[in-house]
Amino acid sequence: EAADAVPYYRDYELNSYIFMGEGIEKIIGYRPSEVTPDLWNEITKELIPLGETEGLSPEEAQARSRTGKIKAWKSDVRVRARNGEERWLTDSAVELFENEEISHASIGILQDITGRKKTEANLRQREAILDAVAASAELLFKTPDWKTEINDMLERVGKSINASHAYLFVNEKLESGELINSMLFEWTAPGYPADIGDPTYTNAPLKEIDLEVWYRMMIQGFPYIGDVKHSTPAEMEFLFERGMKALLDVPIFIDGGWWGTIGFDDMANEREWTGAEIDALKVAANVLGAAIQRQIADAALQNELNQRKKLIEELEAKNSELEQFTYTVSHDLKSPLVTINGFLGYLEQDALSGNTDRLK
């Protein structure tokens, strides 16, 4: 018997486990003598038939196995352990027959697969978050103005991690040199009040005495992970005072400077942020930063192009004025020159004819 595998023998007629391996206590906290079919039914929260019975309801799967249509069967079972923790087990069993139409007992093995299930859940969540980020990135890089799509991004990512709020703060530097930030965009899950417009989150100082560690993490480009695993009791007390049981903020950098913060909170559960959530949200911050930086560059380029166009139009106007001036000067000078040329012709004739009086 391995540490995570427990053999058992169940008698249906006696409605009891004749034998249950000692390892069951390590998995769910109940001693073998305490595990009865009634207790098992009570703590079972979900049963998923596998193998030949995959896709069937638990009742139909059990009926097929006990009537001999399926001699062996397998299922994943989610149970509540004695300490309230949820555990996942795989139940692999064969039915025992003695010329009856219905089995009288079963013998099998329960194996703890909680770790595998958590890994699978984390992978599914990572995929869901990355799908949300990818969809948002596509919209952000297509639109000429990121502000028109940021609410959609916050909603997509917020829903994928089951957050209470998803928000975007933008930094600003005052003339005094002090850095402040304001919440400009927010998505709120149903049932939770919106914080946008709240004075607490408008023109707020970036460096707060009670949460200086947040400032240090942000300015260095690292996410701030506010939960019971990563934060001190004092930090958690600060979050609790603001109604948050968990907080995850990721800085957004543009041109090497801290531009703003994208963040998420949970007001319902004292959760521990997973590596999948943290990594995916760092990707979201990078995508948003890249989109904003690209649009800033596009705006600067467009402004330069507009300035060039304006200069070209001014040059064309000046050239047109110069051409008109040249035409006017040419026209105004031509008439007296013709007159002068005419008189010179008369002078030439008089000189040739010797008409001195007329010449004078």
Side-chain angles (χ1 to χ4, degrees):
E1 179 185 339
D4 63 347
V6 180
Y8 68 83
Y9 179 86
R10 176 176 179 176
D11 189 300
Y12 293 124
E13 294 180 4
L14 297 177
N15 190 30
S16 67
Y17 287 101
I18 303 299
F19 170 77
M20 176 66 72
E22 294 291 335
I24 195 67
E25 187 171 3
K26 297 178 183 177
I27 298 174
I28 62 174
Y30 292 97
R31 295 187 300 276
S33 59
E34 296 178 286
V35 183
T36 64
D38 290 338
L39 172 69
W40 189 256
N41 291 335
E42 179 184 339
I43 67 173
T44 296
K45 298 303 175 185
E46 185 178 1
L47 191 148
I48 305 173
L50 302 173
E52 294 182 66
T53 59
E54 185 173 0
L56 301 178
S57 67
E59 296 76 16
E60 187 176 1
Q62 187 177 41
R64 288 195 181 189
S65 63
R66 291 202 63 191
T67 56
K69 293 179 180 178
I70 299 172
K71 292 292 192 298
W73 76 309
K74 184 178 182 179
S75 65
D76 283 353
V77 188
R78 179 169 61 91
V79 299
R80 185 189 69 249
R82 170 165 259 157
N83 62 2
E85 181 184 357
E86 288 193 346
R87 309 292 296 177
W88 277 96
L89 296 88
T90 286
D91 183 1
S92 302
V94 293
E95 300 295 323
L96 303 181
F97 295 84
E98 289 184 2
N99 301 319
E100 304 104 328
E101 293 182 357
I102 299 178
S103 65
H104 63 83
S106 64
I107 183 170
I109 293 177
L110 294 169
Q111 187 171 13
D112 188 357
I113 58 169
T114 305
R116 190 191 79 194
K117 284 288 187 179
K118 286 183 177 179
T119 300
E120 291 174 352
N122 287 340
L123 289 174
R124 286 195 299 271
Q125 185 185 42
R126 181 190 291 268
E127 185 177 353
I129 298 173
L130 290 177
D131 284 346
V133 172
S136 300
E138 184 178 2
L139 293 175
L140 284 171
F141 283 106
K142 281 183 177 180
T143 179
D145 185 2
W146 62 270
K147 298 183 185 69
T148 62
E149 301 297 341
I150 184 62
N151 284 323
D152 181 81
M153 179 182 190
L154 294 175
E155 180 178 357
R156 286 174 184 266
V157 182
K159 285 181 176 180
S160 70
I161 64 172
N162 298 315
S164 302
H165 298 87
Y167 45 80
L168 176 69
F169 279 82
V170 176
N171 299 345
E172 181 184 357
K173 191 172 186 177
L174 301 179
E175 293 183 359
S176 63
E178 180 187 6
L179 286 174
I180 61 174
N181 67 357
S182 297
M183 181 191 291
L184 298 188
F185 300 92
E186 179 191 34
W187 168 82
T188 303
Y192 293 95
D195 292 325
I196 195 164
D198 187 328
T200 305
Y201 305 109
T202 304
N203 296 329
L206 282 172
K207 194 172 184 179
E208 298 193 62
I209 297 176
D210 295 328
L211 206 62
E212 286 193 10
V213 64
W214 178 90
Y215 177 82
R216 290 199 303 271
M217 298 298 287
M218 292 288 106
I219 203 167
Q220 294 177 41
F222 298 112
Y224 174 78
I225 309 169
D227 60 26
V228 292
K229 179 179 179 181
H230 298 88
S231 303
T232 65
E235 292 172 43
M236 292 306 299
E237 183 178 353
F238 177 84
L239 298 181
F240 290 155
E241 288 175 355
R242 295 198 172 183
M244 296 178 285
K245 296 185 178 180
L247 173 73
L248 177 59
D249 281 349
V250 185
I252 298 171
F253 277 73
I254 295 177
D255 289 333
W258 180 20
W259 178 88
T261 304
I262 184 171
F264 310 85
D265 68 38
D266 193 328
M267 303 181 73
N269 304 298
E270 293 184 22
R271 68 197 288 173
E272 293 182 10
W273 299 104
T274 66
E277 292 168 332
I278 296 169
D279 291 343
L281 297 179
K282 286 164 64 177
V283 172
N286 290 336
V287 165
L288 181 56
I292 295 172
Q293 187 162 353
R294 189 211 65 176
Q295 290 179 23
I296 290 175
D298 287 349
L301 178 60
Q302 187 61 48
N303 183 60
E304 182 179 349
L305 292 174
N306 290 338
Q307 290 295 328
R308 288 185 180 184
K309 182 180 179 182
K310 183 178 179 181
L311 286 173
I312 291 172
E313 290 174 349
E314 289 177 354
L315 285 173
E316 289 177 346
K318 293 295 183 183
N319 285 335
S320 178
E321 292 177 4
L322 185 59
E323 288 177 0
Q324 184 64 34
F325 174 76
T326 304
Y327 174 79
T328 301
V329 170
S330 174
H331 181 272
D332 290 348
L333 288 177
K334 186 176 183 180
S335 180
L337 287 174
V338 168
T339 301
I340 292 170
N341 191 56
F343 279 110
L344 287 173
Y346 290 136
L347 289 171
E348 183 181 20
Q349 291 176 8
D350 292 342
L352 291 173
S353 64
N355 190 346
T356 305
D357 293 336
R358 182 173 172 137
L359 178 62
K360 289 180 180 180

